[in-house]
Amino acid sequence: MHESDHFVTELPEGGDTLNAMTPFLLSPLAPFESLSQRVAEAAAKYYGECAVEGIPPKEADAAAQESMAQFKNWWLRHRATSKPKSQQPILNVDTADEGMNATIKRQKSNKSFDELNVEKIRLTNMAAARHLLDNCKMHLLNALADTQGETSSPKFHKAVNDLVYARRMSNNFCNTDFDARKEPADGEPHAFDGVWLTVSKPNYSECLGQNADGEYMYTLGRLSFDMFRPTSLLCSIQGLFNPVFVTDHTPDVIPRNLRTDVQENKSTLRTYNIVVAFTIHSNDGKTRPLQGVMTNYGYVLPDPNTPNRFTVFFTGGLLEPNGETDVTEWKNIFGEAAPKRLLSERARLLAAKVLLGASVSDAMEDDGSMSYFLKRPIGGHGSTYMDVIYLDETLRVMKSQTDTYYVFSRVPPQHVQE
């Protein structure tokens, strides 16, 4: 189905068309399209469906504005309200280089100087750079522990700034720069591939604090962007995993700006799923907790113009009980007895349907799973992306287009279930 097939309203020409249809708006909040005709069509469909559902204009406006911010960045929402001032690195790379060169110059003035001395100096500086890099990694992890995983704190920003400088220092002796566009030789593992555990704070909105075990709490509506109900369920997160692997499967839906790259295999496509292990808690404490898994299906491919950048897009998601959960109890919560959506939730869901082509079904499979799909996912080089700030065998630091940092720890292969 073509995008134009979703709209059936015939609109007259003229710049005042949209204002005539939605007089309560000075400019459209809902649509993402830039062309005026498509803007008018999307606005007409969205506000028309809101009117049919009995959603007043103010509720429709608020939902459209929230959905625009939430879905355009998807899980890459920006939490930090302000950027900390730039921090002074713990070691200046240029100064370190000058010191090494001065040492070599002094040694060359001695008659006993030979190539072996040069190699000794190089190895000494390499060891110092490696030691510095290891210390900076430890300082970054300590900063995360001290701030309970919060990556918007000044302490974390200083630690990541120091780590970047230490990596640059190490590059003077052995190249550790990451280029997403380059694939390793046959048989060699790619540094980016594997299963990663997020060690920074989950990036969902409206956090409800932490439970006694230090796990962050959210409603199911915030975890799933209102895709699954009951949205008011109280959930704690036990783990947030990010499996990344090369795939030869072409997604059924691809952002318009990326279709040529994906369909013509111009660059390597990888899965970039976000897997959330969570527990549902009853508000009264009388019902025993139920454990579930939510998977957001995503993909990444290298940005052709920026070496350390991956472009990201998501195509849908799945909610299911984990292997130890009683499926009957799960169905009692998510089945036909589930409460209806609130007015604001219905408005946000309508915005997702119109803007992203979200297909949401409250129907449940026999195994208790439920799913949603995005027929028009958002994505494109330079618009939704993640930059690799640091990457080695155990640690990965990334920054989104909203300047939000994410820190991951690699799950050892022996602990990854097939």
Side-chain angles (χ1 to χ4, degrees):
M1 178 179 290
H2 296 289
E3 185 172 340
S4 59
D5 294 337
H6 292 285
F7 305 111
V8 296
T9 305
E10 294 184 2
L11 301 174
E13 296 182 356
D16 295 331
T17 301
L18 183 58
N19 289 334
M21 291 183 172
T22 55
F24 45 85
L25 284 179
L26 295 178
S27 61
L29 292 177
F32 295 130
E33 301 291 356
S34 58
L35 298 178
S36 59
Q37 183 71 11
R38 291 180 178 174
V39 167
E41 289 174 338
K45 182 176 179 63
Y46 172 63
Y47 291 107
E49 291 196 18
C50 283
V52 171
E53 292 286 334
I55 299 172
K58 288 186 178 180
E59 291 281 358
D61 284 356
Q65 192 169 33
E66 180 176 348
S67 295
M68 177 182 290
Q70 186 160 321
F71 288 107
K72 191 168 185 179
N73 293 324
W74 192 238
W75 74 291
L76 312 175
R77 286 176 59 93
H78 184 36
R79 294 196 313 271
T81 57
S82 61
K83 297 181 182 179
K85 297 180 180 179
S86 59
Q87 303 287 347
Q88 180 69 24
I90 59 178
L91 180 63
N92 186 287
V93 176
D94 296 332
T95 303
D97 287 345
E98 292 172 1
M100 185 187 72
N101 292 333
T103 301
I104 295 176
K105 186 176 181 179
R106 288 194 301 271
Q107 289 286 350
K108 281 186 175 181
S109 66
N110 299 331
K111 294 182 179 180
S112 61
F113 181 82
D114 55 23
E115 294 300 324
L116 180 60
N117 287 339
V118 175
E119 181 64 13
K120 287 181 179 179
I121 294 171
R122 189 185 70 83
L123 291 176
T124 299
N125 282 277
M126 182 187 298
R130 285 293 188 185
H131 180 69
L132 175 64
L133 191 61
D134 290 340
N135 283 342
C136 287
K137 286 175 56 179
M138 184 59 65
H139 290 161
L140 182 136
L141 294 175
N142 288 339
L144 274 180
D146 292 343
T147 61
Q148 297 181 317
E150 182 58 69
T151 61
S152 64
S153 69
K155 187 172 186 177
F156 174 83
H157 276 261
K158 183 183 186 305
V160 76
N161 183 62
D162 290 344
L163 181 63
V164 169
Y165 271 86
R167 179 184 60 80
R168 286 178 53 195
M169 182 65 188
S170 179
N171 280 349
N172 291 317
F173 311 106
C174 55
N175 184 21
T176 57
D177 272 341
F178 176 77
D179 192 335
R181 302 166 300 183
K182 296 180 180 179
E183 292 295 324
D186 292 342
E188 293 292 326
H190 196 287
F192 197 66
D193 293 349
V195 177
W196 298 85
L197 171 67
T198 305
V199 294
S200 48
K201 179 182 176 182
N203 201 21
Y204 301 101
S205 62
E206 299 180 23
C207 179
L208 301 177
Q210 296 173 275
N211 61 15
D213 296 323
E215 299 165 341
Y216 282 101
M217 310 282 287
Y218 302 86
T219 64
L220 180 63
R222 298 295 84 184
L223 286 182
S224 68
F225 307 103
D226 294 317
M227 294 294 173
F228 301 112
R229 64 183 180 95
T231 56
S232 60
L233 289 177
L234 181 62
C235 303
S236 62
I237 295 180
Q238 283 71 59
L240 202 156
F241 299 88
N242 177 215
V244 182
F245 295 101
V246 174
T247 179
D248 55 5
H249 168 70
T250 301
D252 294 331
V253 289
I254 305 168
R256 183 187 296 106
N257 296 334
L258 301 176
R259 287 173 187 169
T260 301
D261 282 17
V262 174
Q263 293 172 349
E264 297 182 4
N265 295 320
K266 289 188 174 182
S267 56
T268 302
L269 184 69
R270 285 178 161 81
T271 60
Y272 198 79
N273 298 339
I274 308 300
V275 182
V276 185
F278 67 95
T279 298
I280 300 171
H281 304 270
S282 64
N283 294 325
D284 55 13
K286 297 180 180 180
T287 306
R288 65 176 182 176
L290 296 179
Q291 296 178 330
V293 178
M294 183 175 63
T295 303
N296 293 314
Y297 296 110
Y299 297 88
V300 294
L301 67 163
D303 187 305
N305 302 313
T306 307
N308 65 324
R309 178 169 294 175
F310 283 101
T311 298
V312 186
F313 66 95
F314 291 86
T315 60
L318 179 74
L319 181 72
E320 58 188 335
N322 79 350
E324 299 178 359
T325 294
D326 186 297
V327 177
T328 301
E329 293 184 24
W330 179 273
K331 289 182 177 180
N332 289 337
I333 293 178
F334 292 99
E336 296 180 356
K340 300 297 182 181
R341 301 179 190 273
L342 299 176
L343 195 64
S344 59
E345 295 166 351
R346 286 161 50 199
R348 288 195 293 267
L349 191 59
L350 269 176
K353 288 180 178 180
V354 173
L355 306 177
L356 298 171
S359 176
V360 182
S361 174
D362 291 328
M364 183 184 298
E365 301 296 331
D366 292 340
D367 61 359
S369 64
M370 297 174 287
S371 59
Y372 71 91
F373 304 94
L374 302 178
K375 298 177 182 177
R376 294 190 297 278
I378 294 173
H381 296 311
S383 62
T384 55
Y385 58 81
M386 297 284 281
D387 286 342
V388 179
I389 302 301
Y390 180 83
L391 177 64
D392 66 15
E393 297 82 3
T394 60
L395 183 68
R396 190 179 103 211
V397 182
M398 304 191 75
K399 184 170 72 169
S400 75
Q401 80 276 1
T402 57
D403 290 336
T404 302
Y405 285 96
Y406 299 86
V407 183
F408 304 84
S409 176
R410 187 188 298 275
V411 178
Q414 63 267 28
H415 296 307
V416 177
Q417 297 181 353
E418 296 294 337

